[in-house]
Amino acid sequence: MLDTVPADFETAVRAALPEAAFPELSAAYLEEPRGRYAGSGGLLVAPGATEEVATLVRLAQAHKVPIIPYGGGTGLVGGQIAPAGPVPVILSLRRMRSIRAVYPEENVLVADAGAVLAEVQQAARDVGRLFPLSLASEGSATIGGVLATNAGGVNVLRYGNARDLCLGLEAVMPDGAIWHGLTRLRKNNMGYDLRHLLIGAEGTLGIITGAALRLSPLPQRHGVGLLVVDSPAAALDLLALAGEVAGDTISAFELISGRGFEFFAETMPEMRAPLDPVPAWSVLIDLAGASGFDPEGALETLFARAAEAGLVSDGVIAQSEAQADALWALRENIPEANRRIGSVSSHDISVPLSEIPNFIETATARLAGIGDYRINCFGHVGDGNLHYNVFPQPGRSRADHEDERPAIKTCVHDLVHELGGSVSAEHGVGRLKVEDLERYGDPVKQAAMRAIKDALDPHGLMNPGAVLRART
Amino acid sequence: MLDTVPADFETAVRAALPEAAFPELSAAYLEEPRGRYAGSGGLLVAPGATEEVATLVRLAQAHKVPIIPYGGGTGLVGGQIAPAGPVPVILSLRRMRSIRAVYPEENVLVADAGAVLAEVQQAARDVGRLFPLSLASEGSATIGGVLATNAGGVNVLRYGNARDLCLGLEAVMPDGAIWHGLTRLRKNNMGYDLRHLLIGAEGTLGIITGAALRLSPLPQRHGVGLLVVDSPAAALDLLALAGEVAGDTISAFELISGRGFEFFAETMPEMRAPLDPVPAWSVLIDLAGASGFDPEGALETLFARAAEAGLVSDGVIAQSEAQADALWALRENIPEANRRIGSVSSHDISVPLSEIPNFIETATARLAGIGDYRINCFGHVGDGNLHYNVFPQPGRSRADHEDERPAIKTCVHDLVHELGGSVSAEHGVGRLKVEDLERYGDPVKQAAMRAIKDALDPHGLMNPGAVLRART
């Protein structure tokens, strides 16, 4: 038997909203992808319009019932699951998934918060435009979710994070009032930027119900190369050189380690390095530009200049879309190979770009003092965002290292903090990293966050326990 | 005799800070460029370090003395001048103007808030990078000022507003605590985005003392064209076509009206249209890219395709740097010609891009009902940001229309609001547009702004009367 919200609240909500707003609460709403959090119940409400969201929020405030907003359910930090405390309303935006309008001549698209990211991408492509936010979970993740968590992905280097792709918001504030902020403007200095405050607040300051999104011209020419570098430091030098050669056409710049190819050999032998010997370090570089751009030419120029500078020893440049896809498949399958090996501990971190070599070297050295691991370090090196994942040696399993996990996490996060980095680069804080935020976050910023939270949501009912500890 | 702060406060501040922090208060600190506001006095304090700013803020809180932050003094909305209320501290950052560090390999530069914009641009160029924020006042405007007001300028289309160029901030909060948020990270989801809250808050939520700024690769190839279009609507179609042809290399896309050339003929005859007949509407387009980019080729392709589509009837493409500079000089001298004519009323507005033709047509028709004017409408059409300025007919002067000015302003601003636009596109709110914000701003957003202001600055001492009405 699932826990239930207070009966008088449920009665009031059911009287105020249409029948369609009350789908059955399935188990999916009480779990998260990695199984770290499980909710114990609640009332699932799926409003069909912004006004219905506002009605629900007002009733929840009147009855002091917490609200957990739920997007695509793909978050990895427990932001969408409330495992403890008073029984909440689970607010799903799944019935609000329309593309409200597309303005190709403005490079703007306006969508409901429940619209699925992949559908928004497609709607942009349908009018010859690009919505560049791209994530592994784009088939399920919603616009409201990617904005609430300020999601990242593979195109951040060129196009920015989710917040950089949002021109305006519509939201229901904690008191149930609707903020009509769906502006389609590129320049607007009418007061504090409430948009950027709600983006990344993970539903703790209000419910995003709609967004005006920024589109880009759809690139007409596209090229991909895999270049072999000696070291992460050489990869950074290559990035700087690529800036000179290819400017803003660099859409992705992803580091791949030899460990990734080793894991492929063990778990997915069909994935093979197109280079012999298998490189200890390589970079996948993706260039995209307008019709006059010559991506193969730019990649060849880059390769020649990088080889001359001693940065690159070998490489392959895709000569067809199929070859480009095959190179991207190497990068995209790394997480799957990792999953098959089974990590002891995984870390989504960022550091200043120039600290990347130091981070990789020092973290590896320090972890050797804890245990004997294999490390697969890869990711969005152009953004300073690495996935630094720790695995057992062959013949051992993650279970063999269970006790070491907290020490590994602390070791990696302490180093990230020492180097001026972030222990939550693109996944958000959710409930998983509230303690990390308290430990590593700036105390003055933490105090300001608490003051803002208390001012806008004095009863602490909006996604309590996410980002900031719930008041007890 | 200038008004003075309370003697006990001044004594305490002079005891706490070194002698060098107390330059003489000159008249420049009590005026603003258009002469709309004049302060009546105060204590000028120019701290030499962030800790000294913090000391000053703590003392001001203890003695309930308001603080007016002062950057380069170039703001046009009175944000830097407090004309009424308790006598304030005028806090100048002019002694904190160092470039603290440059990280070319990270595309990051860290500067004191008092650093002058042009010096930051130069420091970036010195290492082969671009800091793209570019404004008429860049020789005086400071980094703290451009961030506090979220300044715009000519490169917003490609690189964004000031806020988009800032990775991290150091700031003294209203209670005198220092927020150490000078991160150099591209991805960081550690809690609410306090950076974006302080940017654009015009000193009402804290004092920005330092910033980590985002640099870009320095474009290697550069091209400029002036293309003749039939109408603003054709200019927008041309912008969309340019996106297909030139993608992200479009650095500026500026509308010029025939009225601008008419004003040149009257006031600056050396500035001549390079086309005959003088075009009623034209667009200055600037393309810039990496070494492999061919800007002349792209402009020629754009011209050919636009001519074929009936969007462009004539045009000139610069064949040298000198010709490019001459085309840019036309755009850059429009404000000077306007000044010589003498405007009745000037408006810094933005509307959704697709509403630009409607705005121009409707505003002109409605103003004809108020009086007989000449209108010079020009500006950053690629951003939806127009300068819509109203002038007397030949033989009449602005003084002849003095009484009509409020009606003109209301007419233009009401229309902007109807079309979903902003009456403060790039200049901020300051003290000039507080009433506009109350009239046109979303009431729910206004309430949230007030709640945030009261939570972070409960005594209302940080730049009182700017953005939000001062509590009485």
Side-chain angles (χ1 to χ4, degrees), chain A residues 360-379:
Chain A
I360 293 176
E361 189 175 338
T362 308
T364 306
R366 289 191 190 172
L367 286 180
I370 299 177
D372 185 20
Y373 310 114
R374 296 193 291 176
I375 290 162
N376 192 7
C377 173
F378 65 101

Side-chain angles (χ1 to χ4, degrees), chain A residues 43-344:
Chain A
L43 175 65
L44 178 63
V45 183
T50 302
E51 292 69 23
E52 294 180 16
V53 177
T55 299
L56 175 68
V57 171
R58 281 194 299 271
L59 287 170
Q61 285 288 352
H63 291 262
K64 302 282 179 288
V65 173
I67 299 176
I68 311 296
Y70 193 98
T74 63
L76 297 174
V77 290
Q80 71 274 41
I81 307 290
V87 182
V89 169
I90 299 165
L91 167 55
S92 167
L93 278 293
R94 73 187 206 190
R95 290 182 60 235
M96 294 176 60
R97 60 187 289 170
S98 299
I99 309 294
R100 295 193 195 175
V102 188
Y103 305 87
E105 72 282 26
E106 297 183 9
N107 278 337
V108 175
L109 182 153
V110 180
D112 279 347
V116 171
L117 175 52
E119 293 174 6
V120 169
Q121 294 168 341
Q122 186 59 49
R125 271 194 301 270
D126 287 345
V127 295
R129 297 294 183 273
L130 176 72
F131 184 62
L133 192 71
S134 180
L135 317 165
S137 60
E138 62 199 23
S140 309
T142 64
I143 289 301
V146 297
L147 289 173
T149 57
N150 186 32
V154 293
N155 289 328
V156 172
L157 179 63
R158 177 166 180 173
Y159 296 101
N161 294 284
R163 70 168 68 254
D164 302 305
L165 303 173
C166 178
L167 297 172
L169 286 182
E170 177 191 86
V172 175
M173 300 301 289
D175 63 358
I178 299 172
W179 170 40
H180 296 285
L182 269 186
T183 148
R184 314 198 305 267
L185 307 173
R186 309 282 162 154
K187 285 183 174 176
N188 178 19
N189 277 339
M190 295 274 282
Y192 304 163
D193 203 320
L194 196 55
R195 165 189 53 147
H196 278 306
L197 187 62
L198 292 192
I199 295 173
E202 306 186 19
T204 63
L205 299 177
I207 309 291
I208 294 170
T209 54
L213 302 170
R214 176 185 186 140
L215 308 180
S216 288
L218 193 62
Q220 308 290 311
R221 302 292 314 281
H222 183 245
V224 180
L226 184 73
L227 305 188
V228 177
V229 293
D230 263 1
S231 64
L236 289 177
D237 291 340
L238 180 65
L239 176 63
L241 184 61
E244 288 171 31
V245 172
D248 299 341
T249 63
I250 309 171
S251 298
F253 194 91
E254 299 281 313
L255 187 68
I256 299 177
S257 83
R259 191 74 74 187
F261 292 113
E262 177 185 323
F263 286 4
F264 282 147
E266 289 178 33
T267 67
M268 306 174 77
E270 69 278 18
M271 303 300 306
R272 296 182 57 178
L275 295 159
D276 186 27
V278 171
W281 293 103
S282 54
V283 168
L284 181 85
I285 178 166
D286 187 302
L287 305 182
S291 52
F293 177 62
D294 172 16
E296 287 79 21
L299 284 166
E300 280 159 19
T301 303
L302 175 62
F303 181 82
R305 288 185 55 184
E308 194 180 302
L311 297 176
V312 164
S313 58
D314 196 0
V316 52
I317 295 171
Q319 302 298 318
S320 66
E321 275 299 309
Q323 286 182 17
D325 291 347
L327 290 178
W328 260 113
L330 293 172
R331 167 62 184 85
E332 287 168 344
N333 277 296
I334 293 173
E336 176 58 22
N338 286 347
R339 203 186 58 75
R340 295 184 187 184
I341 298 283
S343 80
V344 179

Side-chain angles (χ1 to χ4, degrees), chain B residues 76-100:
Chain B
L76 297 173
V77 289
Q80 70 275 42
I81 308 290
V87 182
V89 170
I90 300 164
L91 167 55
S92 167
L93 278 292
R94 72 189 207 189
R95 291 180 61 235
M96 292 176 60
R97 60 187 289 168
S98 300
I99 309 293
R100 295 192 194 175

Side-chain angles (χ1 to χ4, degrees), chain B residues 298-449:
Chain B
L299 284 167
E300 280 158 20
T301 302
L302 175 62
F303 181 82
R305 288 185 55 184
E308 193 180 303
L311 297 175
V312 162
S313 58
D314 197 1
V316 53
I317 295 170
Q319 300 299 319
S320 66
E321 274 300 308
Q323 286 182 17
D325 290 347
L327 290 178
W328 261 113
L330 293 172
R331 167 64 185 85
E332 287 169 343
N333 276 296
I334 292 173
E336 176 58 20
N338 286 348
R339 202 188 57 76
R340 294 184 188 185
I341 298 283
S343 79
V344 179
S345 187
S346 300
H347 310 272
D348 163 44
I349 62 95
S350 67
V351 292
L353 259 71
S354 61
E355 297 287 2
I356 286 176
N358 183 12
F359 168 77
I360 293 176
E361 189 175 336
T362 308
T364 306
R366 289 191 189 173
L367 287 179
I370 299 176
D372 185 20
Y373 310 114
R374 297 193 289 175
I375 290 164
N376 193 6
C377 173
F378 65 101
H380 321 297
V381 69
D383 309 317
N385 176 200
L386 296 174
H387 298 297
Y388 187 86
N389 297 355
V390 180
F391 298 86
Q393 291 290 353
R396 309 204 69 191
S397 78
R398 54 188 298 176
D400 297 328
H401 299 283
E402 193 67 38
D403 296 347
E404 297 152 21
R405 196 173 295 165
I408 293 171
K409 186 189 124 184
T410 301
C411 173
V412 173
H413 284 188
D414 281 357
L415 177 60
V416 166
H417 183 64
E418 284 169 39
L419 298 178
S422 171
V423 302
S424 175
E426 60 175 4
H427 291 171
V429 176
R431 291 174 173 82
L432 183 65
K433 295 187 176 175
V434 171
E435 277 184 44
D436 286 313
L437 200 56
E438 291 170 347
R439 181 185 173 100
Y440 301 111
D442 181 88
V444 172
K445 178 178 166 181
Q446 286 288 112
M449 287 170 54

